[in-house]
Amino acid sequence: MFFERHEGGEKAVLVHLEIKDEGTREDPQEFIELVNSTRVLIAASITANSQHLNPRFLVGSGKIQEIRELVTLHDADVVIFNYALSPSQERNIEAEVKARVVDRIGLILDIFAQRARTFEGKLQVELAQLQHMSTRLVRGWTHLERQKGGIGLRGPGETQLETDRRLLRVRIKSIIRKLDKVRKQRDQSRRSRKRAELPLIALVGYTNTGKSSLFNALTDASVYAADQLFATLDPTLRRLNFPDVGGVVMADTVGFIRHLPHKLVESFRATLEETRQADLLLHVIDSSDLERLDNMEQVHLVLNEIEAQDIPMLEVFNKIDLLEGVRPKIQRDEHGKPVRVWLSALSGEGLNLLQQAVSELLVGHMVEGALSLDPSQGNVRARLYKLGGVLSEAYDDQGQLILNIRMSRHDFERVIKQERLKQSRFSHKTFSKVERKDQNVLKSRGLY
C-alpha cells in the first residue's frame, strides 16, 4: 500500500469517553474487542467523563496529564481514543503525550486493512485510509522546509506537504478507476443473475453476530468465520436450493458497527450493492448480546444510508445455544407472515425453520397450477420431476397428461423456453400464489 503500516507488538493506552449523549456514546467492551482485533498490546486504559468536549484536546488538561503519565510509565507507543478526533485534536494530543494518537475511525480502518483478502477488498480499504489520511498529513511534515532546486532552479518550490498531497490525489484517482472497473464487472454478474431470475438473499447484521457461520451452515461453504470483529470483509456468493423455492443466490456481506466511518461506507459501496439489490435481507442478530437492540438500530441506520431500508427483511436471532431455555422457533405477525427465526448456526438447531420461513417469504417467486402435456412429451415430465416441481399427475378424458406443479418461476420459465411449450396450456385454477407480473409473462406466451 501507499502508506506505512506498523508491524504490531506496540503498547497502547486506551482512552474511553463516557458521554451522556446516547447518539455519540460508544460501548467500552466493544472498544476493547476492536483493539484486541489488532496486533496492539493493551498496556493501560483510562476513562474520561466529559459533559462538554474540549475543542483542543477533546478531554480536559488534567486527563491529558494522566494519559501522559501512563504513556511514560508503560513506555507506550500509541494512545487510542474510543471517539472520532479532528486532525487538530490528534496533533495537539500527540504534542502533549509524546506518543502517536489514533482515534476510533483510524482503529477500524487498521482492522479492515488487516482483514482484507481480495484485490477489491484491499483497494476499498486503501481508498478509505488514504481519504482519512489526506486531512492529517501535516502531522508528519511540519519539520520539513521547502524543497530547493539546483542552479537555475531556485525558487519557492513545493513543500513536502504539497508533494505528498499531490501523490495522494494521484493514488486515490488510480484506486477509484480500478474500483470502477471492478464495479462494472459486478454489475455484469448482477445482470446475468437478473436474466436468470434467481432470487438474491443477503445476510446483513452487526459485526460478529455469526453471519459467516450461518452462511457456511446453509451453503456448505468454507468462508472464514471467527469470533472476532470484521472477520468478513469481502462478499461471497453461493447458489443453493430452498424447499418449494428452488435455486437462490445467497450473499455474505461485511458486518456493520455503530458510527461506521462514512468513508468506509462510500469505499465499500460496490460491495454493499449486493445488499441493495437483494430480494430478501436476513438480518442476523446475536441473541446473547445485551446490546442487541442498539446494534439492530445501527444496522437499520446503515441500511438507510445505502438506501436498502425498503427491502423485505427477516430477523434471524442466532446463537441461542448461549441462552438457557430458548428453543428454535418462528415468530409471525398478525397475518401469519414470518418475521423472526430463532436458531443456532453453530449447532444447526433451527436451520430447517429458517429454510421454511425463507420459502414462505419468497413464495412470490413460485408458480403453481396444472400443466397439460401430450403423452409424447415425456421428456418434459421427466425434467419437471427432476426439478422437484410435480405434486401429482393424472390423465384426462382426452388422454392428456395433467401435471399439478409447484416450482420456482425461474425453473418453470426455463423449461417453457427450452422445450418450446407454446401450445401447452397452464391452468390457473390453482394459480393462487403467483404474482401479477408472473401472470403477464404467462399470458404473453399463451400459457395463462
Side-chain angles (χ1 to χ4, degrees), residues 209 285-290 292 316-323 326 342-343:
T209 56
I285 302 157
D286 183 352
S287 60
S288 65
D289 191 346
L290 299 178
R292 63 177 180 269
V316 181
F317 276 69
N318 190 23
K319 303 186 182 182
I320 63 171
D321 52 297
L322 301 179
L323 301 175
V326 178
W342 296 73
L343 55 77

Side-chain angles (χ1 to χ4, degrees), residues 123-189:
L123 283 178
Q124 290 173 135
V125 173
E126 184 177 359
L127 176 60
Q129 285 192 306
L130 292 176
Q131 290 173 334
H132 180 69
M133 182 187 294
S134 62
T135 59
R136 289 161 165 76
L137 288 177
V138 67
R139 176 180 65 192
W141 303 107
T142 51
H143 64 287
L144 295 178
E145 300 293 337
R146 289 184 178 273
Q147 298 173 350
K148 300 292 184 179
I151 297 176
L153 297 176
R154 298 186 186 278
E158 183 180 42
T159 66
Q160 183 64 46
L161 175 60
E162 291 167 348
T163 301
D164 205 60
R165 280 179 174 167
R166 175 171 52 81
L167 293 175
L168 272 179
R169 288 195 297 269
V170 171
R171 179 59 179 163
I172 287 174
K173 289 180 180 179
S174 174
I175 294 175
I176 291 176
R177 283 196 299 269
K178 292 178 181 178
L179 284 176
D180 284 340
K181 184 177 180 180
V182 174
R183 189 173 292 115
K184 290 178 182 178
Q185 293 172 345
R186 282 192 175 277
D187 289 341
Q188 179 63 37
S189 300

Side-chain angles (χ1 to χ4, degrees), residues 363-371 404-407 409 412-413 426-443 447-448:
V363 73
H365 294 268
M366 305 292 293
V367 293
E368 182 177 352
L371 181 65
N404 290 314
I405 65 172
R406 187 175 189 274
M407 59 192 304
R409 179 180 71 231
F412 177 73
E413 287 292 301
F426 186 72
S427 172
H428 63 278
K429 291 181 181 179
T430 58
F431 206 99
S432 58
K433 295 184 179 180
V434 71
E435 294 179 333
R436 185 178 301 275
K437 60 182 180 181
D438 303 324
Q439 298 175 9
N440 293 335
V441 170
L442 295 173
K443 284 180 180 179
L447 300 173
Y448 181 76

